[in-house]
Amino acid sequence: MPQTASCPGNLVQYASGLRATGDWTLLHHNRLRKTIGHQRHGHGPDTRELDLEELGELDTSGAVLLVELMGPERILDVATWAPEQPPERHALLVAVARAMPDSTLLPHRTRFAALGALGDIGRNIENLGRQQTQLLGFIGLTLASLASSLLKPRRWRLTALVAHIQQTGLNAIPIVALLTFLVGAVVAFLGATVLRDFGATIFTVNLVTYSFLREFGVLLAAIMLAGRTASAFTAQIGSMKANEEIDALRALGLSTMELLVLPRVLAMMISLPILAFIGMLSGIAGGAMVCLLALDISLIQFLDILQRDIPLRHFLVGLAKAPIFAFLIAVIGCLEGFKASGSAQSVGEHTTSSVVQSIFMVILIDALAAMFFMGMGW
């Protein structure tokens, strides 16, 4: 029979295992934890054999100690090996076992560092798969909302679209132009340094124009927007969710996809091709400046080589990737904002995640596109 409420809890050894006696409550938590620590690091009987017949009062803190002592798998089967306990006590122990993380429940697993590392890898792969599944689902939801709203002009949010175009496109022109101009100058300088040994410095013009028309122009603009705009989208939507503004919109019967997601996605798809074009021009201008000052290649000669040797398809290949990059950046930024919870820490974590995911996806898609165009001979 359970003992009285005034009896302090204890862990007693007997012939075939351990016996929990007295009250396992918050009042006796510290002492019981020390007792469990001695038992775990000592050479006592197997903790899988535990007798609960003399257990007195039990609260959540005591249930946590029992789960730490025996492990979650054994506690989940408590109704089988401790049928004398009431059903509400079984329910408490099972709920605590399911709620506690495995890393605190089973400390003996940490003895094998290799197994722990494999477990971490498995969890990371599982989280990555779940993340990509959510992204694919959100892309489908975005495309479905876009298709339904295109046929209903009254539901277009033109004011929000123009405002986001200004935020994502117009305000980003100076930083994109400056960045690509400097990178173009660096690429031309490095190319001239290598080509000078072969007496082929004139091909620095081809190097700069090829690289910026096909890759650097759109890639640098997309990376800039991934860090600048995707983070802003996540922070804006995450803050709205923390302030329960999104719940208010849904309570009013308004579509959050049409109000929050579609204007941002369309604005990004309009802005990034323009920024990519500006980045191409700025990068080529930076290369032309280096050619003029360091290689004695005049601007007229630079433009003549550009017109004669560089086909138009390189420009079209680079510009064709911009809408795809823009769509992915905007969708990832909005999705991470919706995934944020009500805390400031969660908003910050998902903002960081949106930037990392956007840059990773941009580089991944760019690499796949480069291999595809190379295989097609474009």
Side-chain angles (χ1 to χ4, degrees), residues 9-92:
N10 198 3
L11 196 62
V12 181
Q13 297 185 11
Y14 70 107
S16 59
L18 296 172
R19 177 178 291 115
T21 63
D23 298 338
W24 286 56
T25 58
L26 183 61
L27 181 62
H28 313 293
H29 182 85
N30 292 334
R31 188 176 57 80
L32 286 170
R33 179 171 288 280
K34 292 179 181 179
T35 303
I36 292 176
H38 293 319
Q39 167 63 32
R40 182 179 297 160
H41 295 96
H43 301 281
D46 192 350
T47 56
R48 290 177 298 178
E49 298 296 332
L50 183 65
D51 185 0
L52 300 181
E53 290 186 0
E54 298 183 11
L55 181 64
E57 296 294 329
L58 179 69
D59 61 8
T60 305
S61 63
V64 169
L65 294 174
L66 289 176
V67 173
E68 290 180 347
L69 176 66
M70 303 190 66
E73 293 87 356
R74 183 66 172 160
I75 289 294
L76 291 176
D77 197 32
V78 64
T80 301
W81 54 267
E84 73 281 355
Q85 298 299 315
E88 57 270 16
R89 186 164 290 180
H90 292 161
L92 173 62

Side-chain angles (χ1 to χ4, degrees), residues 301-369:
Q301 188 179 6
F302 186 96
L303 294 177
D304 181 66
I305 296 173
L306 175 62
Q307 181 181 6
R308 185 184 68 244
D309 296 342
I310 309 301
L312 180 63
R313 71 172 185 271
H314 299 302
F315 169 74
L316 298 178
V317 164
L319 206 60
K321 295 184 285 187
I324 301 174
F325 292 165
F327 181 81
L328 288 175
I329 292 170
V331 166
I332 291 173
C334 295
L335 174 61
E336 291 299 315
F338 282 112
K339 288 165 63 177
S341 61
S343 64
Q345 180 181 358
S346 177
V347 173
E349 290 174 350
H350 285 284
T351 300
T352 303
S353 177
S354 69
V355 174
V356 174
Q357 288 186 60
S358 300
I359 295 176
F360 175 78
M361 292 299 296
V362 164
I363 296 176
L364 176 63
I365 298 300
D366 184 72
L368 295 176

Side-chain angles (χ1 to χ4, degrees), residues 24-360:
W24 286 56
T25 58
L26 183 61
L27 181 62
H28 313 293
H29 182 85
N30 292 334
R31 188 176 57 80
L32 286 170
R33 179 171 288 280
K34 292 179 181 179
T35 303
I36 292 176
H38 293 319
Q39 167 63 32
R40 182 179 297 160
H41 295 96
H43 301 281
D46 192 350
T47 56
R48 290 177 298 178
E49 298 296 332
L50 183 65
D51 185 0
L52 300 181
E53 290 186 0
E54 298 183 11
L55 181 64
E57 296 294 329
L58 179 69
D59 61 8
T60 305
S61 63
V64 169
L65 294 174
L66 289 176
V67 173
E68 290 180 347
L69 176 66
M70 303 190 66
E73 293 87 356
R74 183 66 172 160
I75 289 294
L76 291 176
D77 197 32
V78 64
T80 301
W81 54 267
E84 73 281 355
Q85 298 299 315
E88 57 270 16
R89 186 164 290 180
H90 292 161
L92 173 62
L93 290 169
V94 170
V96 171
R98 289 175 176 172
M100 291 179 63
D102 292 343
S103 59
T104 60
L105 296 178
L106 301 177
H108 62 274
R109 292 183 179 176
T110 60
R111 296 177 184 175
F112 305 98
L115 293 179
L118 290 176
D120 292 338
I121 294 174
R123 281 188 291 271
N124 291 333
I125 293 176
E126 182 182 4
N127 292 334
L128 179 61
R130 186 182 302 111
Q131 188 180 74
Q132 297 306 310
T133 302
Q134 292 175 347
L135 178 60
L136 289 175
F138 194 74
I139 288 175
L141 182 60
T142 302
L143 293 176
S145 301
L146 179 61
S148 63
S149 63
L150 285 178
L151 303 178
K152 302 174 183 177
R154 296 178 59 185
R155 296 168 63 177
W156 295 354
R157 306 291 174 176
L158 296 180
T159 303
L161 176 63
V162 173
H164 288 302
I165 290 176
Q166 179 183 4
Q167 175 192 354
T168 61
L170 183 62
N171 295 343
I173 288 177
I175 184 64
V176 171
L178 177 61
L179 176 68
T180 51
F181 180 86
L182 296 176
V183 173
V186 171
V187 170
F189 180 78
L190 293 177
T193 302
V194 175
L195 294 172
R196 183 179 291 113
D197 297 335
F198 303 94
T201 54
I202 192 65
F203 290 105
T204 303
V205 179
N206 302 69
L207 173 64
V208 172
T209 51
Y210 270 110
S211 60
F212 272 89
L213 289 178
R214 292 185 68 97
E215 297 294 337
F216 285 162
V218 62
L219 189 61
L220 291 174
I223 291 175
M224 283 298 301
L225 286 190
R228 181 182 181 276
T229 306
S231 59
F233 288 172
T234 303
Q236 290 166 0
I237 297 178
S239 298
M240 293 180 66
K241 189 172 182 182
N243 295 330
E244 300 182 354
E245 297 176 41
I246 293 179
D247 294 335
L249 292 174
R250 290 170 176 165
L252 292 173
L254 300 175
S255 173
T256 55
M257 296 297 297
E258 294 181 6
L259 285 173
L260 302 178
V261 177
L262 292 185
R264 288 173 167 82
V265 171
L266 294 176
M268 183 75 82
M269 295 180 68
I270 295 172
S271 299
L272 186 54
I274 298 173
L275 292 175
F277 178 71
I278 294 173
M280 294 174 186
L281 295 181
S282 299
I284 293 174
M289 183 192 70
V290 172
C291 290
L292 177 63
L293 299 179
L295 305 178
D296 293 329
I297 300 176
S298 65
L299 183 59
I300 295 176
Q301 188 179 6
F302 186 96
L303 294 177
D304 181 66
I305 296 173
L306 175 62
Q307 181 181 6
R308 185 184 68 244
D309 296 342
I310 309 301
L312 180 63
R313 71 172 185 271
H314 299 302
F315 169 74
L316 298 178
V317 164
L319 206 60
K321 295 184 285 187
I324 301 174
F325 292 165
F327 181 81
L328 288 175
I329 292 170
V331 166
I332 291 173
C334 295
L335 174 61
E336 291 299 315
F338 282 112
K339 288 165 63 177
S341 61
S343 64
Q345 180 181 358
S346 177
V347 173
E349 290 174 350
H350 285 284
T351 300
T352 303
S353 177
S354 69
V355 174
V356 174
Q357 288 186 60
S358 300
I359 295 176
F360 175 78

